[in-house]
Amino acid sequence: MGNQLIVQYPDPRLREHCKPVTRFDSSLGNLIDDLASTLYSTTGIGLSAPQIGQLQQLFVMDLSDNQSDLQVYINPVITQKAGLAIVEEACLSLPGVAANVMRASTVSVQAKDRHGNIRETKLSGMHAVCIQHETDHLHGKLFIDRISAIRRLRLRKTLKSLESNTDVPLNSSTYTQF
Ligand SMILES: [Zn+2]
């Protein structure tokens, strides 16, 4: 309980399809608390359950400056996408890797809250980008799957180091981590 280790690429758990949450009980509450405290121990703005080794469909995000706006999305489904946003993304599970990713700039998302109540939210800007990055995690997708082959080639060296478990020099993060 509490802060969890963040699963790192190329761990196969990052490539799994996560199971929908079916029980809205105290163990779900504990998982949400673990996700939140682990997120708050990083400089990231979002964290999904598979990133702490729990293959369930949920994630948390908080875009405030002072950890005051925790949002929990359980079994999220993106029902609408519009517009275009290109943001330099980085992932807490791929330290040292950052790349521009094309996403929708506005999304509608249907999800349950911690009590199992369903709601639909429309979000734009960085909130929308974060929702798309985290929802991808729940289906085994990483942001490096969404960049061009040429860009991925440029990241090859860093990815290889991660794959061979060599330490990657961490540039102080000016980019947004999810
Ligand atoms: Zn990520």
Side-chain angles (χ1 to χ4, degrees):
M1 291 300 129
N3 287 358
Q4 305 291 309
L5 286 178
I6 293 179
V7 172
Q8 302 289 306
Y9 176 88
D11 192 305
R13 286 174 291 178
L14 295 172
R15 293 308 197 174
E16 295 285 330
H17 277 273
C18 297
K19 289 202 168 70
V21 172
T22 52
R23 290 167 61 130
F24 293 81
D25 55 10
S26 61
S27 72
L28 175 66
N30 292 337
L31 175 54
I32 293 168
D33 293 346
D34 285 356
L35 269 174
S37 72
T38 307
L39 174 65
Y40 290 147
S41 72
T42 72
T43 53
I45 61 171
L47 187 66
S48 63
Q51 288 176 283
I52 61 166
Q54 299 293 323
L55 302 181
Q56 300 186 56
Q57 292 185 13
L58 77 147
F59 64 82
V60 297
M61 70 177 193
D62 189 339
L63 274 71
S64 70
D65 297 331
N66 53 357
Q67 310 186 345
S68 61
D69 187 28
L70 186 75
Q71 297 182 28
V72 181
Y73 290 83
I74 301 171
N75 303 343
V77 177
I78 294 172
T79 54
Q80 271 189 336
K81 289 185 180 185
L84 176 67
I86 299 174
V87 171
E88 186 171 38
E89 295 185 23
C91 180
L92 294 165
S93 294
L94 287 112
V97 183
N100 286 329
V101 184
M102 260 196 267
R103 303 275 192 187
S105 57
T106 306
V107 297
S108 294
V109 59
Q110 210 172 66
K112 290 189 171 180
D113 65 15
R114 64 168 73 209
H115 308 293
N117 302 314
I118 198 152
R119 64 194 150 88
E120 180 140 4
T121 321
K122 192 171 180 179
L123 296 146
S124 58
M126 196 58 94
H127 283 94
V129 170
C130 186
I131 291 276
Q132 291 167 85
H133 181 116
E134 300 306 338
T135 303
D136 273 356
H137 272 301
L138 306 182
H139 301 287
K141 241 185 183 339
L142 300 171
F143 79 97
I144 50 170
D145 305 333
R146 296 201 178 272
I147 62 179
S148 68
I150 288 177
R151 287 221 181 85
R152 200 154 44 229
L153 208 59
R154 271 192 228 133
L155 295 174
R156 193 177 51 180
K157 215 175 132 193
T158 315
L159 291 174
K160 274 244 149 46
S161 316
L162 291 174
E163 283 160 16
S164 61
N165 213 2
T166 315
D167 279 340
V168 175
L170 292 178
N171 24 23
S172 59
S173 48
T174 50
Y175 40 70
T176 312
Q177 289 179 302
F178 313 85

